[in-house]
Amino acid sequence: MREKIIVLDFGGQYNQLIARRVREMGVLSEIRPYTEPIAQWLTGEVRGIILTGGPNSVYAPDAPRTGKELLDAGVPVLGICYGMQLMNVLAGGEVSGAAVREYGHTDLTVRDGALFDGVSRATTVFMSHTDFVSRVPAGFRVNATTANCPAAAFSCPERKLYGVQFHPEVNHTAEGKKMLSNFVFGICGCEGGYRAGDRIDEMIARIREQVGDGRVVAGLSGGVDSSVACVLADRALKKGQLTCVFVDHGLLRLNEAEQVMETYHRNLGLDVVYADASERFLDALRGVTDPEKKRHIIGELFVRVFEEEARKIGADFLLQGTIYPDRIESGLGGSAVIKSHHNVGGFPEDSVFSKARLVEPLDTLFKDEVREVGERLGIPRDMVWRQPFPGPGLAVRCIGGITREKLDILRACDAIYLEELNNAGLSRQIWQSFAVLTGVNSVGVMGDGRTYDQVVALRAVVSDDAMTVEAAEIPYPVLKRTMTRIIGEVPGVNRVVYDITSKPPGPIEWE
């Protein structure tokens, strides 16, 4: 029987990261919204439950809550930040507003407890809270403290309940992975062994069972997610059942459509149809400035194009490269919406492709797991490790209204930037890099004359999983060459800036 850890989501910004950390240990984890009844997911496979953090105060009237039955589920429960405070209240303790808010690196003094086996008695953790456990419930023991938090960790081993006020899942907590490992293996008794690449046969069987003898039209964007999904479907189905469609929505990078079509014919031998819908997308986006509206418009138009292509060949199903973070960030099961992904939040309700006719073999995998599957499938490494490119394309990198002229400016700037990074040998070290047309104009002087032109922002980030990122430290000479070329070669731009924002607080994309 497969072992599983449930991550119960209370709106915390690190919910995906918690699930990722567990999977890194070789144990399957699933994120579930707190609104789901426990009976819906508490099966014999579940070895433990982790309650995430969240932005609410547990004593607020509208605070997200679960029933006390959660504490008597029969498996170990770990509460993190808000999750600890909720556990405390459900068990009969009290939570109050903190006189001193703790945020960032904080010194932790460890007393004892199974969660801290092998952990230093004095260590550093990442805190982010304004409330604190002011009274611990009967039967609970304080396991760790900080200067301003008298109950930074507690436990009731007899009831298999554990809580930490800090965030062990983030890299800023020095020994956080050890603490989570203690919970998953030492307390929950998991054995490990889960690997995404081992699920290939399962995913292929799932496609065959769903599709049967039907025909499938697949959305192929050129990114790793859709590529892996299409290769899985190609292996699962008989010749003639799968037709891949590459939609040119007019929001692609310079020469990208030609490169994608040539690459996929040459390397994968897939049956790929090219659909030029650029005018339709640009017409629909004219005057639209709200990023969520952009995503919804793009998502619906994608589906309409796929519907048309499906009618031409008599296809019954639509294959998408939807991955787990897409579903989570789009509001999985009532979770908070971070941003609507075009293939989830923008999917039209009246589509001929009902939920039963959507084929999404990767919808429980994270990005790095998709790459692991891609390598196991034998997809060329440069395709598997291609930088992520958002489905809405340049629409979310062109701030404000979209016009063909602005897109052309952005394409030219982006191409120069990527070329300079590649020339400097930096491309492989960077998770994602791109230019942004900020929608801001600035005064400049060019050729002894005044200009009032566009400001372009350059973005480059390093990351393991895109859930937390840091700005890449691009050498100044590379940035200077890029700036000089952009201003000299791209009309309409007179200022270039570099975005050093980390995630959190800022996401990778600007919209």
Side-chain angles (χ1 to χ4, degrees), residues 171 270 306 386 429 476:
N171 288 329
L270 297 173
F306 293 141
R386 186 173 185 254
Q429 305 169 28
Y476 179 72

Side-chain angles (χ1 to χ4, degrees), residues 411-422:
R411 265 189 275 268
C413 295
D414 190 71
I416 290 171
Y417 182 37
L418 297 184
E419 182 180 337
E420 288 299 330
L421 291 176
N422 189 59

Side-chain angles (χ1 to χ4, degrees), residues 7 145 312:
V7 178
T145 64
K312 293 177 185 177

Side-chain angles (χ1 to χ4, degrees), residues 274-327:
Y274 174 78
D276 184 357
S278 55
E279 291 298 332
R280 289 173 62 180
F281 277 85
L282 294 182
D283 286 345
L285 290 167
R286 186 171 291 114
V288 178
T289 59
D290 181 80
E292 277 294 285
K293 287 185 179 179
K294 288 180 183 179
R295 291 177 180 274
H296 280 267
I297 289 169
I298 291 167
E300 177 169 354
L301 271 180
F302 262 125
V303 175
R304 299 310 181 200
V305 175
F306 293 141
E307 288 174 338
E308 293 165 8
E309 295 299 325
R311 281 192 289 270
K312 293 177 185 177
I313 63 172
D316 312 292
F317 297 88
L318 171 63
L319 176 81
Q320 296 193 124
T322 305
I323 63 175
Y324 208 19
D326 296 344
R327 296 169 58 217

Side-chain angles (χ1 to χ4, degrees), residues 38-117:
I38 293 175
Q40 195 164 321
W41 48 259
L42 187 58
T43 66
E45 297 178 327
V46 176
R47 297 287 186 268
I49 303 166
I50 299 178
L51 315 181
T52 76
N56 302 89
S57 290
V58 72
Y59 47 76
D62 58 348
R65 292 284 193 101
T66 61
K68 292 182 180 179
E69 67 272 13
L70 179 68
L71 306 187
D72 300 312
V75 297
V77 182
L78 170 63
I80 296 176
C81 197
Y82 179 88
M84 175 189 183
Q85 295 171 10
L86 176 61
M87 177 185 291
N88 184 70
V89 170
L90 292 177
E94 292 181 0
V95 171
S96 307
V100 179
R101 176 191 179 190
E102 290 183 313
Y103 184 82
H105 293 87
T106 305
D107 292 332
L108 182 79
T109 300
V110 175
R111 294 180 179 175
D112 55 18
L115 206 61
F116 298 101
D117 283 350

